[in-house]
Amino acid sequence: MSTTVNGESMISAQITSPLKSAVQDAAIPEIKANEVLIEVKSAGICGTDLHIWHGSYALANYPVIPGHEFSGVVTGVGEAVRNVGVGERVTADPNVPCYSCFFCQRKQFNQCLYLEAVGVTRDGAFARYVKAPESSIFKIGDIPFAEAALIEPLACVVWGLKQVQIQAGSSMLIFGAGPMGILMMQTVKAAGASFVVMVDREESRLKLAKNLGASVTMTADEFNTHEAEQLSPYGFDIVADATGVPKVIENSIQFVRAGGTLWVFGVAPEGSKVALPPDEIFRRDLKVIGSFAINKTFTEAVALVQHGAVDLKPLISHQLPLEKFEEALELAQHDPNRMKVQLDLTA
């Protein structure tokens, strides 16, 4: 069912409504003057895609072709495009801000009042072709396509890194050794953190985290207040949640040193609540920092990969053809040993 740009349709994987999907033909995107058409080679499944699948992501429109972590080859450019050419290997920032609202004028592009996103409000990369504005396109050089499809989640970590302001020699505790937690671990070490402890329920994930540079790994059953004190007697400079589990976030603050930071990174269910002790935040000079998505951090993410500071290849556990879209969703949601599940469109 493959096609060419001159054809009338392309294969796509769509979420037609919550918990309903279809692999079917769709119209090839028509590009505007400032847009680029990309033949997708690899696209990753993210937690956001699972929220869209379940109907729990407020920004999503249905039907939609999801997919916002991707890479591919440029096959068409609009007449106003200057810096990207046909045949170039690229990835793209899926967030499309308006550039003129109150937040955009303050360079808070991820908080844009009219934010659109490829794969969420616009059709995305779980298809043979996807389009994006030239301003969102980043060249990947010789980075393999599967690895380049992980630059988007890495860029999310880089934005959080700028928020928490890692200092040389910092100690850090990360809850969650999934793809995002391990990306976080590698990135904070590249930024100067000297001691990074990771906690997770799955031994296989902790083994990978250790192989990629975690200082200490422990299962959730092993880790407790006593163990934390043995590892870092006065607490950790930064404690990060990469699970999105409200109870984990709530319990994390006890491990932050005085003057330290709790980094809320994992995506918790919408409307969920946590109880944080205001007297502790006040008395111990604590900071609680969130970081949402990306804010112009693709350049740094690409550099981290190109120069070998972050290793993406071991994070890819499954690659399935587009036709097995729903199977890929099930893997991404339920397999306890999976890391990043990707759709492979190279054939």
Side-chain angles (χ1 to χ4, degrees):
M1 294 181 70
S2 62
T3 187
T4 67
V5 178
N6 294 323
E8 294 182 353
S9 63
M10 64 177 179
I11 187 172
S12 71
Q14 302 182 24
I15 296 177
T16 54
S17 62
L19 298 178
K20 293 185 179 180
S21 69
V23 176
Q24 60 190 28
D25 282 351
I28 293 174
E30 295 184 7
I31 57 174
K32 298 177 182 177
N34 68 335
E35 292 181 327
V36 171
L37 186 67
I38 301 165
E39 183 177 6
V40 179
K41 297 298 183 181
S42 187
I45 293 178
C46 168
T48 298
D49 299 314
L50 297 177
H51 285 301
I52 295 171
W53 168 243
H54 284 282
S56 59
Y57 199 73
L59 296 178
N61 298 322
Y62 299 95
V64 64
I65 300 173
H68 59 274
E69 304 176 1
F70 64 92
S71 63
V73 176
V74 176
T75 57
V77 298
E79 58 267 27
V81 172
R82 297 180 180 180
N83 300 306
V84 181
V86 171
E88 292 196 277
R89 306 169 83 257
V90 299
T91 185
D93 183 339
N95 285 355
V96 184
C98 74
Y99 293 105
S100 59
C101 73
F102 174 84
F103 291 109
C104 284
Q105 289 181 337
R106 299 166 72 90
K107 298 183 179 180
Q108 295 175 260
F109 300 111
N110 62 329
Q111 301 296 332
C112 172
L113 293 172
Y114 309 103
L115 184 68
E116 294 194 22
V118 174
V120 182
T121 65
R122 303 181 176 195
D123 282 337
F126 294 162
R128 178 61 64 186
Y129 297 97
V130 66
K131 70 175 182 177
E134 181 190 13
S135 59
S136 297
I137 303 298
F138 293 84
K139 300 173 186 179
I140 60 173
D142 60 358
I143 299 173
F145 289 120
E147 293 171 44
L150 275 161
I151 288 173
E152 190 274 346
L154 179 57
C156 294
V157 172
V158 174
W159 171 236
L161 196 73
K162 291 186 175 186
Q163 296 287 83
V164 299
Q165 300 180 345
I166 299 287
Q167 302 297 315
S170 294
S171 62
M172 187 165 182
L173 170 62
I174 300 173
F175 288 101
M180 298 308 295
I182 294 181
L183 283 176
M184 181 186 291
M185 179 272 295
Q186 293 187 75
T187 307
V188 298
K189 292 201 74 174
S194 60
F195 183 61
V196 183
V197 177
M198 299 199 71
V199 178
D200 197 275
R201 292 191 176 280
E202 300 298 330
E203 292 275 9
S204 60
R205 291 183 165 194
L206 292 172
K207 181 178 179 180
L208 178 58
K210 186 69 173 177
N211 290 341
L212 289 174
S215 308
V216 176
T217 60
M218 300 186 73
T219 65
D221 290 334
E222 295 171 328
F223 187 79
N224 53 43
T225 303
H226 173 73
E227 293 295 338
E229 289 176 350
Q230 295 300 307
L231 292 167
S232 190
Y234 300 105
F236 294 83
D237 296 310
I238 300 163
V239 177
D241 171 70
T243 70
V245 177
K247 197 65 177 177
V248 175
I249 299 170
E250 191 172 286
N251 290 336
S252 296
I253 199 165
Q254 65 183 301
F255 303 112
V256 184
R257 73 159 176 86
T261 299
L262 174 62
W263 179 6
V264 181
F265 182 84
V267 182
E270 289 191 20
S272 58
K273 307 290 184 183
V274 297
L276 298 179
D279 60 317
E280 286 288 300
I281 296 171
F282 160 73
R283 185 178 60 79
R284 298 201 290 126
D285 291 328
L286 301 182
K287 295 178 285 294
V288 179
I289 291 179
S291 61
F292 169 64
I294 303 159
N295 191 3
K296 303 302 180 185
T297 45
F298 258 68
T299 299
E300 297 94 326
V302 171
L304 284 166
V305 180
Q306 286 182 328
H307 299 298
V310 173
D311 188 0
L312 299 177
K313 186 176 181 179
L315 298 180
I316 303 164
S317 61
H318 296 81
Q319 293 175 298
L320 286 79
L322 190 65
E323 289 83 356
K324 294 187 177 181
F325 173 56
E326 196 159 322
E327 180 181 334
L329 288 174
E330 292 295 326
L331 270 172
Q333 184 172 6
H334 297 299
D335 187 334
N337 295 312
R338 62 89 178 85
M339 291 297 286
K340 178 56 68 173
V341 178
Q342 291 185 335
L343 296 173
D344 182 1
L345 289 89
T346 54

